[in-house]
Amino acid sequence: MTRRNRTTTLILTFYCAGFLLAAIGLAVAASGDDAVARRSGDPALHEAWAARVVWACDRRKLVIVEGVRPDEPIPPQRAQLVADLLQDLMRYCNEEITARLGVDQRITVSARGLVHEDYLPGGPLPIVPASYGEPTRRERLIWAAALEKLVTEGDRLFHSDEIGSNGIACAMCHPHASGTHPETYPKFQTQLKKVALLRDMVNWCILNPLEGEELAADDPRMMALEAYILAQRNGKVIEVGKH
Amino acid sequence: MYRNNMTRKEIERRFAERRPEDEKLLRTLRNCDRRHFLRTSLRFAGMAAAASLVPHQSFQLVNVAHAAIPGASPDQAFRFAYISDTHLYDRGLDHRFVTSVLKAVEDVNALDPQPDFVLFGGDLAQLGRPGELELGRQLLGEVRAPLRMIVGEHDWYLDLGEKWREFFGPDYYSFDHKGIHFVALNSVVEKDFWTEKGYTPEERMAIVAGLDDNRQSPFEVGAEQRDWLQKDLAQVERKTPIIVFSHSPLYKLYKPWNFWTDDADEVQALLRPFKTVTVIHGHTHQLLTNRIRNIQFHGLLSTAWPWPYAPEGLPEYTVQMFRADPFNALDGCGDGAVDVLPNGRVDKHYNLWARNPRTVTAKQLAKRRPPEGGGHQGPSY
Ligand SMILES: [Fe+2]
Ligand SMILES: [Fe+2]
């Protein structure tokens, strides 16, 4: 039984054996207080902040049960969810995991202090590859793979005739994205009589040499094309507005 | 914003609608004399404009009753003209690349006096398809002067030159004309990269058609043609001027884009004993000039699209092309002529369709220093 910060009020005791967890019982001990809610005195805020924290016996996993004041017992149905969730999370013996059980019973988990992500009990542990510390090698690999995927799709589109209508592809005139100069955007494009972004010129070339249809800025194909063009020019000095 | 109001579907429908008309046009083209041809092209230009396909710059055909190819050099012995890198698709006569070929044919047909012959610098087709080569053959069939063809990689890698040779004859040959020994080479031979990987002919063609596709091999002339060239040149006197036609530049400029011939050194060695040698090549779609000892090199313009300069390796003799204006479909494209001088050297004319014409003279190249305005001022890459 521990007191952790001033909000820790409830300890669920589990007896852990090896990789398996045997849930023996749910002990409810109401003690402590909710400093935040008390300070504000606002009942709505009080409800919003209300949370009870339930620890697993390994001291590595905890569930923050939202919408339940520290001095309140957890309703049986939610208590069962908490117990099931902790049992489920014990699959990851050595991980430090914080779970949140929302008032709408939505479950999110955060492993190793990373960002909270939706979690489906029994499913894979969402390791969100973004931390605020020095990225791990694994994180770097995940990021690189995700980027590579987008750039590769852009490479494919840039070399294919499928965004146009006349068989012509971007790469025919721009091998290795040469002549696209993304590092000079935004710039005043005299022929368009306005300041253009890279995607405006991409669309110009889609409409004209390729005789295709304009792509919206958030069209995955536009994003992929921009990704490929920029990746090809990686390392070039940005010279906004250069002609 | 500049917008094409037609949806893709509408464009396709219009293309489809005009198909029978295309056929008729082609038939007329096939049998018409020069005046008729002009009228036909004008009709076609009007039709294309009526279809309101952007950009309209491609349809300036109406204005080309006289060619802009610069006047012949004062002391020329004879002149030949050139058209190159048309990259035709078999997608009807509305296609912008067809319009450009028609314009080039107009240009060379309007030359007065007529050139001794017209060199076609290779890449007639885009994907080596029989329909593309056939369309090219018909369009070039309208050229009044005799045609001399060389082959480009886009013509070759679907059927390894079968259709091309059926239409145009051997892919390498030589001939003599007014005291010059001309040699035409197939410089786009690639070592077999497809068998082991199991690529289909279509895949092989698509890979080679990708300038920046590194799954292919570098271009070369190859041992077979080098042997032939050695024997061919053995019968030629050392003081006879030689003019070589090739698709790729017969020197090493930029390998990642096959602006390159892998056995260029060996080929140059065969040409070294001759006093006056000129290489005229296609493939690079830009103003490009070089000199390596006794050999002067000139690139040809494409009718279809210009290329930016490679990020490295640009010869200092090159008078650099401006950056092309993407808002003008004809900019950076064109055709031109070569004036052969009595001494066997050449003055090379670039007839740029949307800019002032440029000429690179033998005199400029003979100077040890690169010509005025030449030199590497930083590539457009
Ligand atoms: Fe070409
Ligand atoms: Fe080529």
Side-chain angles (χ1 to χ4, degrees):
Chain A
M1 302 279 149
T2 336
R3 172 175 283 247
R4 192 179 164 111
N5 293 330
R6 301 180 58 203
T7 54
T8 310
T9 54
L10 180 75
I11 304 293
L12 247 180
T13 309
F14 291 100
Y15 295 96
C16 312
F19 291 93
L20 285 172
L21 172 90
I24 300 300
L26 189 66
V28 179
S31 69
D33 48 312
D34 186 331
V36 181
R38 192 189 286 162
R39 236 184 293 129
S40 79
D42 174 349
L45 192 63
H46 181 95
E47 289 308 313
W49 279 89
R52 294 187 73 152
V53 176
V54 183
W55 284 88
C57 65
D58 69 350
R59 310 299 309 158
R60 288 189 162 154
K61 295 164 185 68
L62 62 89
V63 180
I64 299 169
V65 186
E66 292 176 349
V68 180
R69 283 193 305 276
D71 53 352
E72 237 178 359
I74 303 176
Q77 229 180 335
R78 300 192 79 198
Q80 189 58 50
L81 272 178
V82 173
D84 291 348
L85 180 57
L86 281 174
Q87 183 159 13
D88 175 66
L89 290 178
M90 288 310 286
R91 293 184 295 156
Y92 304 99
C93 266
N94 298 319
E95 296 284 357
E96 288 197 3
I97 301 174
T98 303
R100 276 178 182 277
L101 181 64
V103 282
D104 54 0
Q105 316 304 355
R106 177 179 164 211
I107 300 169
T108 64
V109 302
S110 149
R112 291 181 236 158
L114 305 180
V115 176
H116 270 269
E117 275 284 290
D118 282 331
Y119 179 68
L120 203 65
L125 191 64
I127 302 277
V128 178
S131 65
Y132 299 101
E134 182 61 21
T136 63
R137 203 181 95 81
R138 183 163 181 276
E139 283 167 353
R140 285 182 197 282
L141 289 176
I142 291 170
W143 299 342
L147 174 62
E148 173 82 15
K149 196 168 158 223
L150 188 64
V151 171
T152 304
E153 172 61 4
D155 186 342
R156 190 187 69 76
L157 285 169
F158 198 84
H159 288 80
S160 107
D161 63 0
E162 72 185 48
I163 42 176
S165 71
N166 55 10
I168 297 176
C170 311
M172 282 163 57
C173 298
H174 299 292
H176 293 122
S178 58
T180 56
H181 308 120
E183 70 280 6
T184 63
Y185 284 86
K187 72 178 166 203
F188 192 87
Q189 198 75 45
T190 48
Q191 300 96 330
L192 295 176
K193 298 184 178 59
K194 65 164 191 176
V195 175
L197 294 173
L198 177 63
R199 65 180 72 112
D200 295 318
M201 276 311 291
V202 171
N203 266 335
W204 167 266
C205 278
I206 290 176
L207 283 169
N208 291 279
L210 271 69
E211 296 176 62
E213 281 170 51
E214 220 174 1
L215 298 178
D218 61 351
D219 189 306
R221 291 169 295 174
M222 176 61 85
M223 291 167 66
L225 282 171
E226 287 186 323
Y228 170 72
I229 291 171
L230 285 157
Q232 283 291 312
R233 304 286 286 185
N234 195 13
K236 291 276 177 308
V237 176
I238 289 183
E239 293 176 285
V240 170
K242 182 165 183 266
H243 281 265
Chain B
M1 255 302 268
Y2 291 70
R3 228 173 252 279
N4 181 353
N5 311 328
M6 294 173 86
T7 64
R8 183 180 169 154
K9 277 239 158 56
E10 278 171 324
I11 294 174
E12 273 169 6
R13 204 177 324 117
R14 280 183 188 229
F15 272 28
E17 273 165 15
R18 210 167 290 99
R19 286 287 148 125
E21 185 111 25
D22 286 356
E23 292 308 312
K24 237 173 58 207
L25 239 172
L26 263 184
R27 243 178 290 125
T28 346
L29 273 174
R30 229 169 283 156
N31 320 313
C32 65
D33 62 15
R34 175 170 152 65
R35 287 197 53 192
H36 191 152
F37 177 58
L38 254 178
R39 250 186 291 126
T40 315
S41 327
L42 290 177
R43 206 174 99 229
F44 159 62
M47 237 164 60
S52 75
L53 300 170
V54 280
H56 287 285
Q57 302 96 305
S58 1
F59 306 118
Q60 288 170 352
L61 202 58
V62 213
N63 305 322
V64 293
H66 52 86
I69 297 176
S73 308
D75 56 348
Q76 63 146 359
F78 67 96
R79 162 178 269 202
F80 64 92
Y82 69 82
I83 300 174
S84 193
D85 292 87
T86 52
H87 292 267
L88 289 167
Y89 285 95
D90 185 15
R91 286 180 177 241
L93 295 183
D94 275 352
H95 199 277
R96 55 192 258 146
F97 293 171
V98 175
T99 319
S100 294
V101 182
L102 288 170
K103 186 169 165 54
V105 171
E106 290 286 339
D107 281 358
V108 301
N109 279 351
L111 283 173
D112 186 16
Q114 273 286 282
D116 284 15
F117 60 88
V118 173
L119 164 68
F120 185 82
D123 286 351
L124 181 61
Q126 170 64 14
L127 295 168
R129 296 192 177 137
E132 297 170 351
L133 291 166
E134 169 65 21
L135 175 61
R137 188 168 75 108
Q138 290 182 14
L139 294 171
L140 292 180
E142 295 310 314
V143 171
R144 292 160 68 200
L147 262 181
R148 297 290 183 180
M149 300 290 296
I150 56 168
V151 74
E153 79 279 14
H154 286 256
D155 306 321
W156 195 259
Y157 282 92
L158 185 61
D159 60 4
L160 298 178
E162 203 173 301
K163 196 81 194 162
W164 193 91
R165 278 173 297 189
E166 178 194 320
F167 280 168
F168 306 113
D171 50 320
Y172 57 95
Y173 54 90
S174 66
F175 62 96
D176 293 289
H177 183 80
K178 296 188 177 169
I180 310 286
H181 186 66
F182 284 91
V183 176
L185 294 175
N186 172 356
S187 67
V188 296
V189 177
E190 292 196 12
K191 293 222 156 62
D192 183 344
F193 64 86
W194 50 89
T195 307
E196 194 194 323
K197 294 267 165 67
Y199 293 130
T200 64
E202 285 76 18
E203 286 168 337
R204 173 178 64 204
M205 180 68 253
I207 289 169
V208 175
L211 194 73
D212 58 7
D213 195 322
N214 62 11
R215 288 173 293 179
Q216 63 189 304
S217 312
F219 290 159
E220 59 178 27
V221 170
E224 178 189 322
Q225 284 182 73
R226 290 202 311 271
D227 278 357
W228 168 84
L229 182 60
Q230 189 167 25
K231 292 193 188 97
D232 181 81
L233 293 177
Q235 343 220 332
V236 182
E237 272 188 68
R238 298 287 157 103
K239 61 179 202 308
T240 305
I242 312 257
I243 297 181
V244 182
F245 299 148
S246 63
H247 183 66
S248 56
L250 287 181
Y251 57 95
K252 296 180 174 180
L253 197 165
Y254 189 60
K255 199 170 184 180
W257 295 354
N258 256 332
F259 285 12
W260 184 272
T261 305
D262 222 37
D263 52 357
D265 296 342
E266 287 93 319
V267 177
Q268 286 172 21
L270 294 174
L271 297 166
R272 190 134 303 135
F274 296 87
K275 189 164 162 272
T276 310
V277 183
T278 306
V279 173
I280 310 278
H281 65 85
H283 187 63
T284 48
H285 300 205
Q286 59 196 203
L287 266 72
L288 188 61
T289 315
N290 197 8
R291 195 189 100 187
I292 299 172
R293 296 209 237 171
N294 60 327
I295 312 176
Q296 300 186 353
F297 301 83
H298 295 280
L300 302 176
L301 294 171
S302 160
T303 60
W305 70 80
W307 264 322
Y309 285 114
E312 61 191 41
L314 189 65
E316 54 178 359
Y317 287 94
T318 298
V319 176
Q320 274 196 57
M321 198 156 79
F322 40 80
R323 280 167 59 184
D325 176 2
F327 292 75
N328 184 338
L330 296 185
D331 197 15
C333 301
D335 44 40
V338 177
D339 290 331
V340 182
L341 311 175
N343 65 4
R345 286 283 175 207
V346 309
D347 289 351
K348 169 77 195 327
H349 301 289
Y350 294 93
N351 180 35
L352 290 152
W353 283 334
R355 307 270 174 146
N356 292 336
R358 304 288 291 263
T359 298
V360 178
T361 65
K363 248 200 199 122
Q364 287 169 333
L365 279 181
K367 287 192 198 130
R368 195 156 290 140
R369 305 235 327 264
E372 196 69 17
H376 201 158
Q377 299 134 4
S380 60
Y381 171 70

